[in-house]
Amino acid sequence: MACIFCQIIEGKIPSYKVYEDDNVYAFLDITQGTKGHTLVIPKKHIENLYALDDTIAKEVFSAVPKVANALKKAFNPIGLNLINNNDKPHQTVFHFHVHLIPRYPDDGMQLSTLNHQETLTQSDYIEIQDAIKRAFK
Ligand code: 5GP
Ligand code: ZN
């Protein structure tokens, strides 16, 4: 099945575009979590974070603060959340996208707060650290 975000970029499906450059497209999420909820995507079809190469990562992430600052100027939110879902449980569109969600007092937006592991020992941290460091090789 054709990718819905590719179809948006191609103009086959309408969208409320707020920003575009040669490589990046940003548009209002059709389900506005809060006023101004925007998705920033690469124009090239990339499934998710794991598949981003250096060039596209730079292109997308350099657009993110531009859009964030426009949202800040437009709506004067008290804050803004940056969210990106990869695979389970939350990714529903498999074209990489960053959610920018401006936050307002009592906006009712329900984002789970980070759960903190209660007590990890020093060796737990070292084990976790080693596993990640090994994975770079
Ligand atoms: P995910 O759950 O993959 O992180 O986010 C996908 C987002 O894409 C959802 O928030 C959903 O509302 C949005 N979305 C899905 N289909 C469309 C569409 O056709 N147009 C727009 N503008 N947003 C869409
Ligand atoms: Zn796509």
Side-chain angles (χ1 to χ4, degrees):
M1 204 176 78
C3 168
I4 200 154
F5 287 177
C6 283
Q7 291 181 72
I8 283 175
I9 292 161
E10 289 163 16
K12 291 178 183 158
I13 293 176
S15 67
Y16 298 96
K17 179 176 78 177
V18 298
Y19 173 83
E20 181 177 15
D21 62 32
D22 288 347
N23 308 298
V24 178
Y25 193 92
F27 56 108
L28 296 183
D29 193 306
I30 205 65
T31 313
Q32 290 279 281
T34 63
K35 185 164 80 176
H37 178 182
T38 296
L39 302 174
V40 180
I41 65 176
K43 286 188 174 173
K44 188 171 176 199
H45 180 84
I46 307 286
E47 193 164 275
N48 58 24
L49 185 64
Y50 308 119
L52 275 187
D53 65 24
D54 283 5
T55 302
I56 295 175
K58 281 179 194 158
E59 290 165 355
V60 174
F61 283 100
S62 73
V64 167
K66 290 179 189 157
V67 177
N69 277 298
L71 292 169
K72 188 167 189 270
K73 197 169 163 185
F75 302 124
N76 193 28
I78 55 169
L80 183 145
N81 292 119
L82 193 64
I83 293 179
N84 160 242
N85 297 314
N86 298 284
D87 292 337
K88 292 184 191 305
H90 290 306
Q91 186 174 12
T92 58
V93 177
F94 286 80
H95 181 131
F96 177 80
H97 52 281
V98 175
H99 295 257
L100 277 77
I101 305 178
R103 301 303 303 271
Y104 307 97
D106 304 317
D107 61 15
M109 187 67 189
Q110 304 236 340
L111 293 172
S112 58
T113 49
L114 292 176
N115 293 319
H116 294 280
Q117 300 276 352
E118 54 301 348
T119 2
L120 293 182
T121 63
Q122 193 178 7
S123 66
D124 292 330
Y125 282 103
I126 290 167
E127 193 183 314
I128 295 166
Q129 178 190 34
D130 285 347
I132 297 169
K133 285 167 75 177
R134 276 197 307 275
F136 279 97
K137 290 169 192 159

